[in-house]
C-alpha cells in the first residue's frame, strides 16, 4: 500500500497509477455500459470477478457492473437489455454473444420491508437499493467486493479485499455462519473460488462450512445444478472434488457417491474419476466443448457399476443390467440435483456404450460409431483404459477405427465448432 492511497473510514482508494486494472483488458461491451451510465450522471463500476481476476493478472470469465441507476433507468438507457431475476432484480445487457450483468447497489437488508428472510435466516428476496458502501459489504468474499470506478479509473476497496487478494485469502465479509445461513450456495462458491484462484479459505469461513453444510439441502435443486456445473467446469474440477470431500459437502449433493467413497473404494476407480476431471480441466482451459453429462457420467460410474453387478447376480444380462442400473442411479441422483433431461440421457448413453466397445467384429463397430454421443463415450472409455479399467488396446483400436472412417463420419458426426454451435451447446457448460 502506498502513501498515495486514501484511507477513509472503511474505504481505500487505489488510484489508476497504483494498480494494474487496464481498460485494454476490459471488454468493449462492458466499457460501453460503464461509459453510458457515467455520461448519464450515474455512478458506474466494474465489480466482482472482473476486478478480482484483472488484479490477479487473469482473464475474467465475464464482466459485472454495479451502479446507482435503478433497473428501470438502466432499461431506458439500453435498448438491448432486459430485467431478470426475482430474488435479485438485475439487468442483462446483450452485445452479440456477450451479456453484461448490471446490478443496482443494494442497501441494508434487515430493516427493509423489501428484503424477505425465511425462518432459518435465508434470503428469499432482496431488492432494497442503497449506497455503494452498503453494496460492498453485502457481497460474499472480500476479494469479490472491489470496484473499478469508471469516472477516474481508481479501484475502491471497502472490505480490505486487496490485501486478501495479495495474500490469496478467501475471507467472508461479516460472520461466516450468518452469511452461509442467508445463502448456503456461498459454501459452494467458497470451494469454487478456492480451487479456481488457488486461494486459502480463511479459518472461520472454512470451519463454518462443516457446521452449515446441511443447509445446502434447502437450495432449489435447479440452482444446485447450475452451481455444480460451475464447480466442475471451473477449470479446476480435480481440486474442487478434493475440497468437496474435505468439507463433507458431497453427502448433500451426491449422497450415493459419498457413501461409496466412505466405503474404502477401489483405487483404480478413484484414479478414473481424477483422470476424467483432469481431462475436463484441460478441455476447459483449451476452450474445448465440455458437457455436464460427462461429469455426471464420471461421478456416478462407480455406483452404476456396483448396481449393475448386483442386478447381474440376479440373472439380468450384462448390457440390460447396465442400462437398468444407469436408470436407477440417475433416478436417485435427480432427487438432489435437477439434471436437465438432455444431460441425464447423455450420461446414460455414455454408460450403455461402454460394454459395446468390446465388440470389434462384424457390423458392431460401425453401428456403435453412429451411437448417440459416441465421442463422449469413447473419451470415457479411453480414460478408463488409462487407469487399467479397460484394456489399453481397446482405446487404440477405436482411435484407429475412427481414423479409418473419418471422412464420412466427420461430415455427419462432427458439426463445425462455430461460435453459434458452442453458444447453443455450451449454454450450461460454463
Ligand atoms: P466468476 O464470474 O468468475 O465465476 P464472480 O465473482 O464474478 O466469479 P458472479 O457469480 O459472477 O461471481 O457474481 C458477481 C459478484 O456478485 C461476485 O463477485 C460477488 O461480489 C457477488 N455475488 C454473487 N453471488 C453472491 C452471493 N451468493 N452472495 C453474495 N454475493 C454474491
Ligand atoms: Mg462474474
Amino acid at each position: 500500500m502506498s502513501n498515495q492511497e486514501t484511507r477513509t473510514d472503511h474505504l481505500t482508494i487505489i488510484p489508476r497509477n497504483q494498480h494494474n486494472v487496464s481498460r485494454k483488458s476490459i471488454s468493449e461491451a462492458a466499457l460501453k455500459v460503464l461509459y453510458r451510465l457515467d455520461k448519464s450522471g450515474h455512478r458506474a463500476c466494474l465489480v466482482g470477478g472482473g476486478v478480482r481476476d484483472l488484479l490477479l493478472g487473469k482473464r475474467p470469465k465475464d464482466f459485472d457492473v454495479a451502479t446507482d441507476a435503478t433497473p428501470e433507468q438502466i432499461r431506458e438507457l439500453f435498448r438491448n437489455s432486459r430485467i431478470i431475476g426475482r430474488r435479485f432484480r438485475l439487468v442483462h445487457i446483450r452485445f452479440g454473444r456477450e451479456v453484461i450483468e448490471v446490478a443496482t447497489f443494494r442497501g441494508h437488508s434487515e430493516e427493509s420491508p423489501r428484503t424477505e428472510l425465511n425462518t432459518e435466516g435465508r434470503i428469499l428476496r432482496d431488492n432494497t437499493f442503497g449506497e455503494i458502501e452498503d453494496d460492498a459489504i453485502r457481497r460474499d468474499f472480500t476479494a469479490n467486493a472491489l470496484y473499478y470506478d469508471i469516472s477516474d479509473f481508481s479501484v475502491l476497496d471497502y472490505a480490505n479485499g486487496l490485501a486478501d487478494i495479495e495474500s490469496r485469502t478467501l475471507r467472508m465479509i461479516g460472520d461466516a455462519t450468518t452469511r452461509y445461513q442467508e445463502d448456503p450456495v456461498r459454501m459452494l462458491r467458497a470451494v469454487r473460488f478456492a480451487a479456481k484462484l488457488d486461494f486459502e479459505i480463511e479459518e472461520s469461513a472454512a470451519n463454518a462450512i462443516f457446521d452449515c453444510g446441511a443447509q445446502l439441502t434447502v437450495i432449489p435443486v435447479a440452482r444446485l445444478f447450475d452451481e455444480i456445473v460451475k464447480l466442475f467446469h471451473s477449470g479446476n474440477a480435480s481440486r474442487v472434488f478434493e475440497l468437496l470431500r474435505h468439507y463433507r459437502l458431497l453427502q448433500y449433493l451426491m449422497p450415493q457417491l459419498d457413501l461409496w467413497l466412505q466405503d474404502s473404494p477401489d483405487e483404480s476407480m478413484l484414479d478414473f474419476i481424477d483422470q476424467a476431471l483432469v481431462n475436463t480441466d484441460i478441455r476447459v482451459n483449451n476452450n474445448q466443448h465440455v458437457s455436464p453429462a460427462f461429469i455426471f457420467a464420471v461421478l456416478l460410474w462407480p455406483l452404476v457399476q456396483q448396481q449393475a453387478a448386483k442386478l447381474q447376480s440376479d440373472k439380468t444380462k450384462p448390457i440390460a443390467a447396465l442400462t437398468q442400473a444407469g436408470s436407477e442411479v440417475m433416478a436417485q441422483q435427480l432427487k438432489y440435483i435437477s439434471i436437465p433431461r438432455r444431460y441425464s440421457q447423455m450420461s446414460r448413453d455414455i454408460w450403455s456404450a461402454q460394454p459395446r466397445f468390446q465388440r470389434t467384429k462384424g457390423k458392431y463397430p460401425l453401428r456403435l460409431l453412429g451411437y448417440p454421443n459416441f465421442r463422449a463415450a469413447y473419451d470415457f472409455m479411453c480414460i478408463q483404459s488409462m487407469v487399467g479399467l479397460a484394456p489399453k488396446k481397446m482405446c487404440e483400436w477405436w482411435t484407429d477405427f475412427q481414423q479409418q472412417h473419418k471422412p464420412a463420419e466427420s461430415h455427419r458426426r462432427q458439426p463445425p465448432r462455430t461460435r453459434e454451435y458452442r453458444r447453443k451447446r455450451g449454454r450450461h457448460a460454463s
Side-chain angles (χ1 to χ4, degrees):
M1 214 172 270
S2 85
N3 49 10
Q4 280 196 42
E5 292 158 9
T6 325
R7 201 173 240 294
T8 63
D9 214 16
H10 295 290
L11 169 66
T12 305
I13 301 172
I14 303 110
R16 175 61 192 102
N17 61 356
Q18 298 287 311
H19 66 71
N20 66 341
V21 178
S22 152
R23 273 168 290 165
K24 284 202 200 84
S25 326
I26 301 172
S27 77
E28 260 180 55
L31 286 173
K32 228 184 233 173
V33 171
L34 290 165
Y35 281 132
R36 194 177 300 172
L37 284 165
D38 183 63
K39 272 211 192 106
S40 315
H42 296 291
R43 281 205 82 171
C45 299
L46 203 62
V47 69
V51 186
R52 178 197 69 216
D53 291 353
L54 290 176
L55 286 167
L56 285 165
K58 287 173 178 273
R59 214 174 70 180
K61 197 182 80 199
D62 50 40
F63 292 98
D64 304 300
V65 167
T67 178
D68 60 4
T70 63
E72 286 72 22
Q73 286 172 323
I74 304 164
R75 268 287 291 131
E76 265 170 39
L77 283 172
F78 300 93
R79 274 193 340 162
N80 47 333
S81 67
R82 65 195 182 96
I83 298 177
I84 60 142
R86 197 178 110 87
R87 232 165 59 91
F88 297 114
R89 281 171 79 224
L90 299 165
V91 182
H92 273 182
I93 309 182
R94 183 174 279 287
F95 297 86
R97 289 175 64 231
E98 191 175 352
V99 174
I100 305 296
E101 196 166 280
V102 187
T104 307
F105 296 143
R106 297 227 157 70
H108 287 296
S109 51
E110 298 77 18
E111 55 260 30
S112 165
R114 299 188 70 181
T115 303
E116 279 179 32
L117 297 179
N118 72 358
T119 46
E120 286 101 44
R122 188 154 64 93
I123 296 180
L124 299 178
R125 206 191 302 204
D126 181 4
N127 287 303
T128 325
F129 303 134
E131 301 297 320
I132 184 168
E133 49 270 31
D134 304 322
D135 186 80
I137 57 164
R138 309 280 310 288
R139 294 182 177 268
D140 46 7
F141 303 100
T142 59
N144 286 349
L146 289 149
Y147 298 75
Y148 169 79
D149 189 338
I150 200 67
S151 69
D152 61 2
F153 315 123
S154 60
V155 168
L156 312 177
D157 185 358
Y158 292 93
N160 214 15
L162 200 62
D164 286 334
I165 284 186
E166 277 162 9
S167 65
R168 304 190 94 83
T169 308
L170 199 65
R171 187 188 311 275
M172 182 67 85
I173 299 174
D175 173 60
T177 304
T178 314
R179 303 301 313 276
Y180 292 144
Q181 259 160 15
E182 283 173 3
D183 182 6
V185 163
R186 288 174 185 149
M187 290 180 271
L188 300 181
R189 290 174 60 86
V191 165
R192 175 155 64 92
F193 294 128
K196 175 173 137 165
L197 307 171
D198 193 20
F199 274 30
E200 194 81 37
I201 307 177
E202 179 277 325
E203 203 182 333
S204 62
N207 287 339
I209 299 181
F210 292 104
D211 303 329
C212 301
Q215 292 171 32
L216 281 176
T217 51
V218 304
I219 299 297
V221 288
R223 187 168 176 220
L224 276 188
F225 171 78
D226 292 342
E227 290 301 325
I228 294 282
V229 172
K230 282 189 202 159
L231 278 166
F232 284 99
H233 287 170
S234 64
N236 301 77
S238 173
R239 178 80 180 129
V240 158
F241 188 60
E242 265 175 48
L243 291 175
L244 288 177
R245 288 184 71 183
H246 172 81
Y247 287 110
R248 311 205 197 297
L249 293 176
L250 268 184
Q251 57 183 312
Y252 310 112
L253 305 168
M254 304 187 82
Q256 305 174 93
L257 175 62
D258 187 62
L259 276 179
W260 176 79
L261 285 165
Q262 283 175 31
D263 206 14
S264 42
D266 172 34
E267 277 301 320
S268 42
M269 193 53 101
L270 279 174
D271 280 354
F272 165 72
I273 293 179
D274 194 53
Q275 278 297 330
L277 296 180
V278 168
N279 179 269
T280 302
D281 291 343
I282 295 171
R283 293 183 68 93
V284 169
N285 294 320
N286 288 337
N287 289 324
Q288 287 172 282
H289 174 68
V290 283
S291 169
F294 193 81
I295 296 290
F296 287 106
V298 167
L299 296 176
L300 297 174
W301 184 227
L303 297 329
V304 173
Q305 289 218 301
Q306 207 172 45
Q307 182 61 7
K310 241 187 240 159
L311 292 167
Q312 263 192 71
S313 62
D314 291 344
K315 308 252 174 329
T316 311
K317 292 226 166 73
I319 289 188
L322 196 71
T323 307
Q324 190 182 332
S327 299
E328 289 176 11
V329 169
M330 188 54 86
Q332 274 299 319
Q333 182 56 57
L334 287 171
K335 293 182 186 162
Y336 298 86
I337 300 173
S338 92
I339 306 169
R341 202 181 146 72
R342 63 187 179 285
Y343 298 127
S344 60
Q345 182 56 49
M346 182 172 164
S347 303
R348 286 197 291 258
D349 289 342
I350 292 173
W351 295 328
S352 40
Q354 297 311 307
R356 295 181 161 93
F357 283 109
Q358 288 164 14
R359 297 170 168 175
T360 52
K361 300 255 154 55
K363 62 191 175 201
Y364 292 113
L366 261 185
R367 200 186 272 177
L368 185 55
L369 216 53
Y371 199 79
N373 303 307
F374 170 82
R375 187 68 209 192
Y378 155 81
D379 286 345
F380 192 96
M381 178 271 289
C382 283
I383 297 169
Q384 292 210 81
S385 85
M386 280 165 66
V387 298
L389 289 174
K392 275 238 154 25
K393 285 241 155 53
M394 197 190 269
C395 175
E396 288 162 17
W397 193 92
W398 281 95
T399 309
D400 290 346
F401 185 74
Q402 280 181 90
Q403 282 295 328
Q404 289 158 22
H405 293 82
K406 214 172 175 182
E409 282 311 310
S410 66
H411 180 68
R412 194 167 65 81
R413 289 199 47 80
Q414 299 245 321
R417 300 269 162 111
T418 58
R419 289 184 155 195
E420 180 59 13
Y421 170 80
R422 281 214 185 146
R423 189 176 65 78
K424 279 193 183 151
R425 303 263 318 200
R427 220 169 263 157
H428 287 271
S430 65

